[in-house]
Amino acid sequence: MSTKKPSRASGVSIEHSLLLTATLCLLAFGVVMVFSASSTTSLLGESGDSAFYLKRTLIFGAIGLVVMHLLARRGVKALRPMTPLILIGAFFLCVVVMVPGVGVEVNGSRAWLAAGPLQIQPSEVMKIALILFCAQMLANRPKLLAGGIGPMVPVLAVVGLGVLVVGVGDLGTALVTCLAVAALLIGAGARLRDIGLLAAVAAGVVLLAVLIEPYRVEERGDPRDPGGAGFQLIQAKIALGSGGLFGVGLGESLQKAFYLPEAHTDMIAAVVGEELGMVGIGALVGLYGLFGYAGFRIAQSARDRYGKLLAAGLTSLVLVQALVNLLAVFGLAPLTGVPLPFVSYGNASMLVMLAAVGLLLNIARGGSAGSAAKPSSADGRLRVVDGGRARGSGARRAPARSSAASGRSAKGRDRGRGNRGARRAGAGRRRRAQG
């Protein structure tokens, strides 16, 4: 009994430990693979330092771990009131990055803000801002989804505008954000037909964006054009095929040496497949599976509706981004430049993902937004997240009735024992009188 109370007071649960273990393992895995994938090109490139990207990864990884630690203490309570400011700031940065002369263009995409050696990607801030916004709106108005798409129009308008602003310079992050928000809506109880209608509209917008911007067409990776748009995809397949089951050995990849573009960023999974084989890819997928299991278990056991929604949304965000990246590397999805969470080189992505982990850890330790009223049984339970549809109050009254009935039966038994005791005492007095 004494061993359980300190564990609950400190907030350390099995889900907390699993999530932290999966995150640290992915970070360590990423540090090793970033050095392996970038050492050759860095040494022979402009920097002349084989550990150039390794050093930057370690620096921003350390900063991200500090941010994660701070948010794991009181992150949910601190960030929920600041959600409108975070969302407005994200919109401002995404608009500023499109101004000529301000935003930095990389590979045909103007999606970065540069401040000396530091480059910030506003779209990374936007995707977590939209998750925070949706979680807050759905928590404050638990019956918002009951009326279909109509009552959700204001929320969907903000999400659509955010995705549109992000998609101008970063179609991959816009796709990840849409899928993560859709997963959050499903977990909150949205009807699948409403999600299907929204998906059809989003698919039309994405198709229109792909047809308008030439570089977006090239990002699809057409294998019929091995010297052009399909070059990166074909080199990734060669790397995966060369690795086989067990790989050619850590640091022994040939494709990373000027053959595979962006080997240390969005194509790092191809290097993993070449050097560590399908066993390495399987270990990577297993760590993301462990992360997802812990994240959704945290969502189930959260103290309030906001914590449930936020945990489900953040977990979906990480898993969706990992899935989109891996599918692109295997040639099953368009190449959109989405980094592999915690593994690919990317300063802004690493900081945002570790911040998301910090919020998840805070929810796992019992952190809440400090709302005055606890949710009712109908509002506190979430379909999918809690493993079923919200149950009515009748389900909670049943145990009360059973306890009351058991109390009445217990009183009846006590009265019965008292009557039997009285009868025995009377019989004893009559025997003594006769004697």
Side-chain angles (χ1 to χ4, degrees):
M1 182 176 180
S2 60
T3 57
K4 289 183 179 180
K5 287 185 177 179
S7 175
R8 185 169 297 181
S10 61
V12 177
S13 61
I14 184 64
E15 292 83 9
H16 181 283
S17 302
L18 289 176
L19 185 75
L20 186 58
T21 299
T23 302
L24 295 179
C25 287
L26 285 169
L27 282 175
F29 193 90
V31 168
V32 173
M33 294 312 304
V34 164
F35 177 67
S36 177
S38 64
S39 57
T40 302
T41 54
S42 298
L43 181 62
L44 301 177
E46 295 180 358
S47 65
D49 182 5
S50 61
F52 176 76
Y53 290 105
L54 173 63
K55 295 175 182 176
R56 293 173 67 88
T57 300
L58 290 174
I59 291 173
F60 283 95
I63 297 174
L65 288 175
V66 172
V67 173
M68 182 186 77
H69 175 71
L70 294 176
L71 292 177
R73 297 175 65 88
R74 298 177 63 86
V76 175
K77 188 174 183 179
L79 287 187
R80 185 174 184 180
M82 297 174 57
T83 297
L85 295 178
I86 296 173
L87 187 62
I88 294 173
F91 270 107
F92 176 76
L93 292 176
C94 287
V95 172
V96 168
V97 79
M98 293 186 290
V99 177
V102 178
V104 178
E105 186 172 337
V106 178
N107 295 331
S109 174
R110 189 186 300 274
W112 283 266
L113 292 174
L118 177 64
Q119 286 189 347
I120 301 174
Q121 197 169 2
S123 58
E124 295 289 338
V125 182
M126 176 62 80
K127 66 184 181 184
I128 198 171
L130 289 177
I131 295 295
L132 290 168
F133 169 74
C134 289
Q136 178 166 337
M137 292 297 294
L138 294 174
N140 292 341
R141 304 175 183 178
K143 297 184 179 180
L144 195 62
L145 295 172
I149 296 180
M152 283 288 294
V153 168
V155 177
L156 295 177
V158 175
V159 173
L161 182 59
V163 170
L164 183 63
V165 172
V166 169
V168 171
D170 190 352
L171 182 61
T173 303
L175 176 63
V176 169
T177 305
C178 282
L179 294 176
V181 170
L184 175 57
L185 292 176
I186 292 174
R191 295 178 296 187
L192 293 181
R193 64 180 181 182
D194 295 336
I195 297 296
L197 179 60
L198 295 175
V201 174
V205 174
V206 170
L207 180 61
L208 182 62
V210 167
L211 295 177
I212 292 176
E213 296 290 342
Y215 78 90
R216 301 186 195 276
V217 180
E218 295 176 0
E219 283 180 346
R220 290 182 299 176
D222 189 355
R224 295 172 297 181
D225 186 12
F231 179 78
Q232 189 177 24
L233 177 60
I234 290 176
Q235 296 302 318
K237 289 185 175 181
I238 292 174
L240 292 170
S242 301
L245 184 60
F246 297 104
V248 298
L250 186 62
E252 300 297 326
S253 170
L254 295 178
Q255 292 300 112
K256 66 184 181 184
F258 300 104
Y259 289 103
L260 180 63
E262 309 297 336
H264 61 295
T265 55
D266 41 303
M267 281 290 147
I268 198 167
V271 180
V272 173
E274 184 179 5
E275 295 187 348
L276 304 179
M278 294 309 297
V279 173
I281 294 291
L284 193 61
V285 173
L287 287 174
Y288 284 116
L290 181 62
F291 184 96
Y293 171 78
F296 287 124
R297 288 285 297 176
I298 290 171
Q300 285 185 327
S301 59
R303 296 175 58 184
D304 54 16
R305 182 181 175 87
Y306 177 73
K308 292 176 183 291
L309 290 169
L310 184 59
L314 294 176
T315 304
S316 300
L317 180 63
V318 175
L319 295 182
V320 164
Q321 183 163 325
L323 181 63
V324 170
N325 177 275
L326 292 174
L327 290 178
V329 171
F330 281 97
L332 302 176
L335 300 176
T336 54
V338 174
L340 191 61
F342 310 112
V343 179
S344 294
Y345 172 78
N347 303 333
S349 177
M350 180 176 293
L351 291 176
V352 168
M353 288 299 170
L354 288 176
V357 173
L359 292 174
L360 285 171
L361 293 176
N362 182 239
I363 297 172
R365 298 177 65 176
S368 64
S371 56
K374 293 183 178 180
S376 65
S377 60
D379 296 343
R381 291 184 58 82
L382 301 172
R383 181 164 63 90
V384 179
V385 173
D386 279 329
R389 290 191 176 275
R391 297 177 183 175
S393 57
R396 292 186 182 270
R397 286 195 296 266
R401 290 196 298 267
S402 61
S403 62
S406 63
R408 288 193 297 269
S409 62
K411 292 179 180 178
R413 287 193 299 269
D414 292 340
R415 287 194 297 269
R417 294 191 190 100
N419 293 335
R420 286 194 297 271
R423 287 195 295 271
R424 294 192 195 99
R429 285 193 297 269
R430 284 194 297 272
R431 282 195 297 270
R432 287 194 297 271
Q434 292 172 0

